[in-house]
Amino acid sequence: MTVGELIAEIEPIAYGPLALKPDEFWDLTPREFNLMEDGWKWRWENLEELYAWHAANVMAPHLKRPIKPWQLLGRPTLSMRQTVKREKKGGGGDQ
């Protein structure tokens, strides 16, 4: 991938979701840009989970078996993934 192709790929992210101005974009190092993109993805996932939690609660009285937010998302939630990470490290909680 050439530098021009890379820039063409990341500029829409910079000017769209990250809402950077051109001078702000060009002043960033690649590491800073990646950190900003990771932060945006984290915030977006949290927002999706909030919406899924809300939808699950709105739907619950109308269902025989309430649906879980992760079932609406089709993926584990951030808190579920953090719990798995802690258990793998041996810090399971009730000690």
Side-chain angles (χ1 to χ4, degrees):
M1 175 180 283
T2 67
V3 174
E5 291 170 339
L6 178 63
I7 291 171
E9 186 177 316
I10 64 175
E11 272 185 323
I13 297 166
Y15 301 139
L18 296 180
L20 295 171
K21 296 179 181 90
D23 60 326
E24 294 171 330
F25 171 67
W26 290 106
D27 287 344
L28 290 173
T29 65
R31 176 171 162 65
E32 291 170 331
F33 179 82
N34 286 335
L35 290 171
M36 289 185 76
E37 183 183 18
D38 290 346
W40 175 80
K41 287 177 183 176
W42 184 86
R43 289 188 302 276
W44 183 256
E45 283 187 6
N46 275 310
L47 189 59
E48 284 181 324
E49 291 178 15
L50 177 65
Y51 289 148
W53 176 83
H54 180 69
N57 281 294
V58 168
M59 294 166 60
H62 307 285
L63 300 172
K64 287 183 181 178
R65 281 185 254 145
I67 194 165
K68 304 285 185 199
W70 65 267
Q71 293 171 306
L72 293 172
L73 290 168
R75 62 170 169 78
T77 62
L78 289 172
S79 60
M80 290 170 73
R81 285 182 268 170
Q82 289 169 350
T83 301
V84 169
K85 281 182 186 177
R86 277 195 303 270
E87 288 172 357
K88 284 183 180 178
K89 287 183 180 178
D94 299 25
Q95 297 169 335

